[in-house]
Amino acid sequence: MKTHTILMPLDMHLHLRDGVMLENVAPLTAYSFSGGIIMPNLVPPVNTLEDVKAYRARIMAAVPNDFFEPYMTLFYRNYDKAFLQSVADEITAIKLYPAGITTNSEGGVSSFDIEEMRETLEAMSDLEIPLCVHGETDGFVMDREAEFMSIYELLAKNFPKLKIIMEHITTKDAVEMLDKYENLYATITVHHLLLTLDDVIGGMMMPHLFCKPIAKRPEDLDALLSVALSAHPKVMFGSDSAPHPQHKKESCGCAAGVFTAPIALQLLCEIFEQYDKLDNLQDFVSDNAQRIYGICPEFKEITLEKRPFVVPEHYSSVVPMYAGEAINWAIASVD
Ligand code: NCD
Ligand code: ZN
């Protein structure tokens, strides 16, 4: 049987939520990943030192049987340097959301006034805290990411020492931006390596494939595949696995988010094998992130094998991507 081994997989964009949901989903990621960048969009958002420490403790309590490193983040607002100094050792990045653009982002940034943001962003540059960005405007849904490119340019030019991560990129425009500025990096999800808008709304409307940013056009998918499959050195895997209870996905008004945590590595193997690029998967799913973030996860070895695996219909209250369907790779062992 064909097998493939991955060392220290990292999920550089992950929603673990809180409470019962955290207890349900955190073990699924901790089983097969060494660590993950934990998104701060709780209600209320994670934005004090106490919040970060307490949330980290709740995550650790939810994964008692696995070694897993939660790389914590703060929810961006304009912070002063003294505060950032006090929190720097506890966080790996700060996540910026434009106000109201996605789930639980109401307290985000409502105007990108560089002078108002300067103190925070200069302090982050000095303290070497990367800025992760949800890059969408409130324009027409298919153009939101492309419209945000001018804001990425503004940030990249004004803060050349700040590492800026374009989160969950979905467009050719964002791929092209990567090579334009030294300090721009990106995460890519597994679902955006598989889907276009057609898969979401082209036939029956598929609530479990609906997320923000929405999957785009075939040429965007091709651009994402080209940088992921070649493990472009500025690109990292970030699942953006975003669980919502089934009733919030299958009701009138579907919450945005695709839940992929338990099948992400299997799907990545399938995609990289399909294009004969399995040799590049290690860089995409771990080594690039280790280098970009300067992190050093503890040893974990995941072996996958090529055999059909039927994705469960539910993980407790959450329906995963491809629920009930067979995918072509399965996890064989974790050491
Ligand atoms: C995320 C969530 O549910 O928290 N939703 C999503 O569609 N990706 C938020 C986000 O990353 O935009
Ligand atoms: Zn997200």
Side-chain angles (χ1 to χ4, degrees):
M1 189 178 297
K2 187 164 184 176
T3 64
H4 186 75
T5 296
I6 301 174
L7 301 178
M8 287 92 79
L10 295 169
D11 183 344
M12 303 311 282
H13 183 130
L14 176 64
H15 298 271
L16 289 181
R17 314 301 192 200
D18 213 342
V20 174
M21 183 65 93
L22 170 68
E23 285 164 21
N24 175 25
V25 300
L28 299 169
T29 290
Y31 174 65
S32 57
F33 285 86
S34 277
I37 293 269
I38 310 302
M39 290 296 132
N41 62 333
L42 304 183
V43 186
V46 179
N47 59 17
T48 67
L49 178 57
E50 293 68 40
D51 290 345
V52 171
K53 286 184 170 171
Y55 188 30
R56 186 195 161 82
R58 295 198 295 280
I59 295 168
M60 295 311 284
V63 294
N65 302 321
D66 290 288
F67 178 80
F68 178 75
E69 184 63 39
Y71 298 104
M72 304 305 291
T73 64
L74 270 185
F75 190 95
Y76 183 95
R77 51 184 174 76
N78 291 330
Y79 295 108
D80 63 33
K81 187 163 187 180
F83 170 74
L84 291 174
Q85 262 160 343
S86 73
V87 78
D89 286 348
E90 297 291 331
I91 60 169
T92 303
I94 295 181
K95 174 71 188 288
L96 185 155
Y97 293 89
I101 211 68
T102 189
T103 310
N104 304 338
S105 63
E106 290 67 27
V109 171
S110 44
S111 89
F112 285 84
D113 181 331
I114 290 295
E115 292 322 312
E116 274 177 25
M117 301 171 84
R118 188 169 293 281
E119 180 182 357
T120 310
L121 295 178
E122 278 178 355
M124 287 173 63
S125 303
D126 291 348
L127 296 164
E128 298 183 2
I129 303 171
L131 177 72
C132 299
V133 181
H134 184 116
E136 290 194 285
T137 67
D138 60 1
F140 178 66
V141 67
M142 288 295 277
D143 297 334
R144 286 177 189 175
E145 185 172 288
E147 286 177 3
F148 200 87
M149 292 303 128
S150 58
I151 300 176
Y152 279 130
E153 297 208 72
L154 199 64
L155 292 169
K157 276 188 207 158
N158 274 277
F159 306 97
K161 297 244 148 41
L162 179 67
K163 277 192 177 159
I164 301 166
I165 326 287
M166 301 187 284
E167 294 295 330
H168 44 51
I169 60 170
T170 59
T171 55
K172 197 164 166 279
D173 307 71
V175 167
E176 285 164 4
M177 194 58 62
L178 269 176
D179 292 322
K180 253 178 110 174
Y181 295 92
E182 207 183 324
N183 55 334
L184 284 183
Y185 302 83
T187 58
I188 301 181
T189 74
V190 69
H191 50 283
H192 290 119
L193 294 175
L194 289 163
L195 307 174
T196 68
L197 187 62
D198 255 9
D199 299 295
V200 188
I201 57 164
M204 300 265 263
M205 196 179 74
M206 306 303 269
H208 299 290
L209 302 181
F210 171 64
C211 68
K212 293 187 175 173
I214 191 97
K216 304 287 189 317
R217 299 174 174 82
E219 55 268 36
D220 296 307
L221 173 59
D222 290 345
L224 296 173
L225 280 169
S226 75
V227 281
L229 292 167
S230 63
H232 185 297
K234 297 173 87 181
V235 162
M236 304 165 269
F237 173 62
S239 70
D240 194 17
S241 179
H244 292 278
Q246 184 171 10
H247 70 269
K248 294 216 166 153
K249 296 289 291 176
E250 297 179 3
S251 60
C252 180
C254 163
V258 180
F259 181 58
T260 53
I263 54 164
L265 287 181
Q266 299 89 316
L267 291 177
L268 286 172
C269 268
E270 187 163 336
I271 298 165
F272 278 66
E273 191 216 9
Q274 186 192 336
Y275 291 93
D276 202 16
K277 294 287 184 204
L278 270 177
D279 288 350
N280 290 342
L281 183 53
Q282 181 63 35
D283 284 343
F284 179 62
V285 82
S286 184
D287 296 6
N288 285 355
Q290 292 186 45
R291 196 182 57 252
I292 293 166
Y293 274 94
I295 55 179
C296 211
E298 283 202 20
F299 188 81
K300 197 171 209 170
E301 183 180 76
I302 317 296
T303 300
L304 296 106
E305 57 193 19
K306 191 175 179 188
R307 65 170 161 84
F309 169 72
V310 178
V311 179
E313 298 279 358
H314 298 270
Y315 288 88
S316 188
S317 66
V318 186
V319 178
M321 183 180 182
Y322 293 158
E325 294 180 41
I327 58 176
N328 290 325
W329 284 76
I331 292 178
S333 66
V334 177
D335 294 302

